Amino acid sequence: MSFYQKNLEILSSLFPSILKKLDVPVAQEIETVVTNDGQISFRRLGGIWLHSTRAPIREAERLILKSIPEACPFCLFYGFGLAYHLESFIKKHRNTPFAVVEPDVTLFKTALTLRDFTEIFKSPGFSLALGASPDSIPALLDGKPHKNIQICMLRSAVENNRKYFESCEKIVNEYLSRKEINANTLDKFSRLWVSNICRNLPMTSKVPGIRTLKGRFLGVPALLLAAGPTLEEVLPLLGEIRKRFLLVCVDTALKACLRVGIEPDFLILTDPQYWNSRHLDRCITAHTILISDVSTYPAPLRAFKGTIFFCSTPFPLGQFFESRTEIKGKLKSGGSVSTAAWDFLRFSGISKIYCAGLDLSFPDGETHYRGSTFEERLHGFSHRKIPVETSSWLALMGGNPYLGKNHRDEPVLTDQRMKIYIHWFQEQMKLNQNIKTSQLSPRGIALEGMDWEDPHHLLTLPEIRENKIDRILGEIRLIQCEVPKDLLIQSYNKLLEELDDLINLTKQGVKISEQVLQTGIEPENLEKLNQIDQAILNRESREMAGFILAPILEDLFTGSNQELSKEKILSRSLDLYTRLNASLSFHKDMILTIDFGEKT
């Protein structure tokens, strides 16, 4: 059997669709050379040799030794070549999963004819992106810990496909940055989210879900009002724009709208923190409809006098109750109230969205519109040692700033925090090309797929407020929630039973783990631990403990994938059961604070 047949047989068993991708000729004008150590190297005629023409194995060993530390949970390789570097990696990091990105299908097919790659393809952690779009590369990292992921470049392959790998590098770095920020956010706010959900949960039997609003505004244009500095350019026109557009406002921009005497039709509020709720201080509305979720800070929900709709919460505790009562309707999470507002408009059937104040940058060195709560706080907390100028400078420079381009192709300051939202909006522009989104100022960051228009253009559109927008809003205000309170209480009682069982299981796990560590490993005790693990995995409420434990689990299991001693494995198990027990106990304590009135 030839190298090609042998390699293809293994590859096709792993990736059946690869046969269609490899239905191309082998690369033409290939030059091969036998190296000094008896191996082989190759290149396209006149191109760069993919490996050393003297000692490719030794070159590969040096690359792996230099590029990849011992504690490596996952490695992403740019370039396949003849895989000497992959073989060296497997020898040094035998149990570590890895993926290879190779854009050149014809060159890869040629490589299959030159060497036997059985060891690589049969490695249990191997995955391959062959001729794939750079946008699809993050899929290789799904489910992998974000910490300590290593990227190893076969320099010659990268040089031969520089633009492709530059795109890969940019997309992968943005993906890992988002994962890190999400993990840090989870670590910081997870307990606050649980606390808010428990305090707001009784409202879910009275507040309808946004699923009832799906597609309600087909054919209606909308204006999204965010709190960036350029919001002020639109405020003088807001009264006239309102006659022609549905107005959707984020919580941080509400004060600006009310200042010019305009109530938005919808207000989006999704932040769990106390300080964010202060954006609504002294903001009184008579007709605005609030879109929020059960994990939001409770005070503004209780103070709001108008109609409220909930979207589905992404957090397991809230999902447990939703799945047993009413699914509210999901909005995509982009990490910002502005992303939630845009997705609400998409969900509602809007196909033309204009954005005011969605700057995602700091035009002229400003962070928010003038008079915002953020600006008021800077003045309120300033003193001789920390004046307003210092706090403003920290706000501008505290997020790893860099220069982007605005719609006039001029430099504008933004930062890594904004980069997450920039990427989210650009991704949505690609995924939702039927929705045209425009910014109303050229001074904010220029987003791919989002142009800009002069706000005065909006005044040329027909007035549809009285005969269409207000009619739909009137129908929406009549929608009622039909979840019986008894159903919510039944779910509450069921959850407490589940948590009691899980707490008992983790206590048993702690006890047996301690016993095994003290007296030695016995098959009987290991079987008991396996049974406990299986019982935990079969419980309906297991995701809630994992929600708080996610950062802890990553700390426990991120690092070297080399084989661990049995004692080390048992020590980790003890740590896991102990922390899991603490997480479950926290959930139970919080759930016991839920006040439904008189429980039955």
Side-chain angles (χ1 to χ4, degrees):
M1 184 182 291
S2 68
F3 285 149
Y4 181 76
Q5 291 173 321
K6 190 174 183 180
N7 289 325
L8 190 63
E9 182 178 319
I10 301 170
L11 269 180
S12 60
S13 67
L14 294 172
F15 315 110
S17 62
I18 204 168
L19 292 174
K20 184 176 181 180
K21 190 162 283 190
L22 287 172
D23 188 18
V24 294
V26 295
Q28 301 299 310
E29 298 184 330
I30 291 295
E31 185 178 0
T32 62
V33 63
V34 177
T35 64
N36 292 354
D37 62 357
Q39 301 301 317
I40 190 171
S41 184
F42 77 144
R43 65 176 178 179
R44 289 187 183 276
L45 199 61
I48 302 172
W49 290 104
L50 270 293
H51 302 279
S52 167
T53 57
R54 296 183 178 183
I57 293 178
R58 191 163 68 245
E59 175 192 54
E61 289 172 346
R62 286 198 301 265
L63 174 65
I64 298 305
L65 186 63
K66 180 180 177 181
S67 303
I68 304 173
E70 189 70 30
C72 170
F74 181 82
C75 189
L76 182 65
F77 287 94
Y78 290 167
F80 185 86
L82 289 172
Y84 296 110
H85 56 312
L86 303 179
E87 290 171 343
S88 180
F89 173 80
I90 291 171
K91 289 175 183 176
K92 187 170 177 58
H93 302 270
R94 185 159 297 277
N95 297 310
T96 301
F98 65 100
V100 184
V101 179
E102 176 51 65
D104 194 331
V105 179
T106 57
L107 200 65
F108 177 80
K109 185 172 183 178
T110 303
L112 297 182
T113 68
L114 297 176
R115 294 189 74 223
D116 181 2
F117 301 122
T118 299
E119 183 183 18
I120 295 167
F121 295 158
K122 285 192 172 181
S123 178
F126 169 72
S127 54
L128 174 68
L130 179 62
S133 163
D135 289 335
S136 67
I137 302 306
L140 296 170
L141 307 178
D142 284 347
K144 308 296 188 299
H146 70 278
K147 293 181 180 178
N148 300 325
I149 284 181
Q150 302 299 315
I151 296 175
C152 183
M153 301 183 187
L154 182 61
R155 290 291 175 184
S156 50
V158 171
E159 286 296 323
N160 287 334
N161 296 276
R162 178 173 290 279
K163 287 186 177 180
Y164 175 86
F165 283 113
E166 283 177 351
S167 295
C168 289
E169 184 80 348
K170 178 183 176 183
I171 290 168
V172 167
N173 285 339
E174 288 176 351
Y175 173 83
L176 292 176
S177 178
R178 289 199 308 275
K179 282 195 73 174
E180 183 174 7
I181 289 174
N182 290 340
N184 292 338
T185 302
L186 175 62
D187 191 27
K188 183 176 181 180
F189 294 120
S190 58
R191 289 179 175 253
L192 177 59
W193 281 318
V194 171
S195 173
N196 289 347
I197 290 171
C198 289
R199 293 170 67 185
N200 293 328
L201 192 67
M203 293 183 66
T204 60
S205 65
K206 304 172 185 176
V207 175
I210 64 163
R211 64 183 179 82
T212 59
L213 308 183
K214 187 174 179 62
R216 289 264 182 171
F217 290 97
L218 285 170
V220 176
L223 174 61
L224 191 164
L225 296 150
T230 65
L231 175 63
E232 295 194 51
E233 299 174 16
V234 175
L235 291 177
L237 306 176
L238 205 52
E240 286 299 313
I241 292 174
R242 182 180 179 276
K243 297 175 183 178
R244 300 161 171 83
F245 285 81
L246 183 75
L247 302 185
V248 174
C249 178
V250 304
D251 53 352
T252 47
L254 178 60
K255 188 176 292 185
C257 296
L258 297 181
R259 192 172 69 202
V260 295
I262 301 297
E263 282 193 26
D265 299 309
F266 289 95
L267 174 66
I268 312 297
L269 175 66
T270 58
D271 199 286
Q273 301 174 84
Y274 162 75
W275 279 112
N276 199 77
S277 71
R278 299 297 301 273
H279 289 292
L280 304 184
D281 284 359
R282 300 179 298 281
C283 291
I284 300 172
T285 60
H287 306 291
T288 299
I289 298 171
L290 177 63
I291 305 295
S292 190
D293 81 57
V294 73
S295 66
T296 301
Y297 190 77
L301 296 180
R302 284 159 173 69
F304 195 78
K305 302 302 181 184
T307 303
I308 301 176
F309 285 82
F310 275 159
C311 58
S312 293
T313 177
F315 310 117
L317 176 58
Q319 291 172 355
F320 181 93
F321 285 96
E322 267 197 52
S323 64
R324 289 157 180 78
T325 53
E326 178 191 56
I327 302 298
K328 298 297 186 182
K330 187 177 180 180
L331 295 180
K332 295 177 184 176
S333 175
S336 162
V337 67
S338 294
T339 60
W342 186 92
D343 201 55
F344 170 70
L345 290 171
R346 176 200 62 79
F347 185 87
S348 302
I350 306 285
S351 58
K352 185 66 186 89
I353 302 171
Y354 293 90
C355 303
L358 187 68
D359 300 316
L360 302 178
S361 57
F362 309 118
D364 300 322
E366 297 176 319
T367 60
H368 294 74
Y369 67 89
R370 292 177 184 175
S372 67
T373 299
F374 175 82
E375 188 177 83
E376 290 177 354
R377 282 187 65 196
L378 291 185
H379 286 280
F381 286 100
S382 66
H383 51 81
R384 182 172 58 85
K385 292 185 177 180
I386 306 181
V388 169
E389 290 79 7
T390 300
S391 299
S392 298
W393 186 87
L394 290 172
L396 284 172
M397 309 305 290
N400 295 323
Y402 67 95
L403 288 175
K405 294 285 188 179
N406 65 19
H407 284 284
R408 292 172 176 154
D409 203 32
E410 300 166 340
V412 62
L413 190 68
T414 185
D415 63 24
Q416 294 299 324
R417 295 169 297 190
M418 298 290 187
K419 196 172 186 179
I420 303 299
Y421 315 136
I422 291 170
H423 182 274
W424 188 91
F425 275 107
Q426 291 181 157
E427 186 69 19
Q428 297 312 307
M429 296 306 102
K430 293 177 184 176
L431 295 175
N432 299 278
Q433 296 186 18
N434 59 315
I435 301 175
K436 180 173 172 55
T437 305
S438 302
Q439 293 169 294
L440 291 181
S441 173
R443 296 197 296 134
I445 198 81
L447 301 175
E448 294 177 18
M450 194 183 296
D451 60 6
W452 83 275
E453 293 190 29
D454 189 307
H456 289 87
H457 166 73
L458 277 59
L459 307 185
T460 65
L461 299 180
E463 297 183 11
I464 58 172
R465 168 64 55 176
E466 291 185 5
N467 62 5
K468 191 166 188 178
I469 295 176
D470 284 346
R471 175 179 56 79
I472 299 172
L473 291 172
E475 295 170 355
I476 287 173
R477 291 188 182 96
L478 297 176
I479 296 173
Q480 301 291 319
C481 182
E482 300 179 355
V483 176
K485 180 180 174 182
D486 287 350
L487 189 58
L488 199 60
I489 294 173
Q490 288 173 18
S491 302
Y492 167 90
N493 291 329
K494 172 65 174 174
L495 179 56
L496 284 178
E497 291 176 10
E498 284 277 316
L499 289 176
D500 282 336
D501 289 345
L502 282 169
I503 288 169
N504 287 332
L505 285 168
T506 55
K507 285 180 178 178
Q508 293 175 39
V510 168
K511 183 178 179 180
I512 295 172
S513 296
E514 289 175 337
Q515 181 181 339
V516 171
L517 282 170
Q518 291 172 3
T519 62
I521 299 172
E522 296 180 7
E524 180 183 351
N525 284 330
L526 292 180
E527 179 59 30
K528 287 180 181 178
L529 289 176
N530 286 334
Q531 291 173 1
I532 289 171
D533 291 345
Q534 194 60 47
I536 291 173
L537 290 172
N538 289 334
R539 291 290 173 177
E540 296 177 77
S541 54
R542 62 191 178 275
E543 290 88 355
M544 284 182 296
F547 163 69
I548 288 182
L549 264 180
I552 300 171
L553 289 172
E554 186 151 327
D555 285 340
L556 279 175
F557 297 105
T558 295
S560 175
N561 286 276
Q562 304 306 307
E563 291 186 12
L564 300 172
S565 66
K566 292 181 179 179
E567 289 75 15
K568 183 66 174 176
I569 293 172
L570 287 168
S571 178
R572 286 188 176 184
S573 294
L574 174 59
D575 199 4
L576 179 59
Y577 287 128
T578 302
R579 298 189 192 193
L580 183 54
N581 181 270
S583 171
L584 292 164
S585 297
F586 165 76
H587 272 84
K588 181 180 177 182
D589 291 344
M590 293 304 306
I591 289 164
L592 287 171
T593 67
I594 298 175
D595 183 11
F596 292 106
E598 185 178 345
K599 301 186 183 76
T600 57

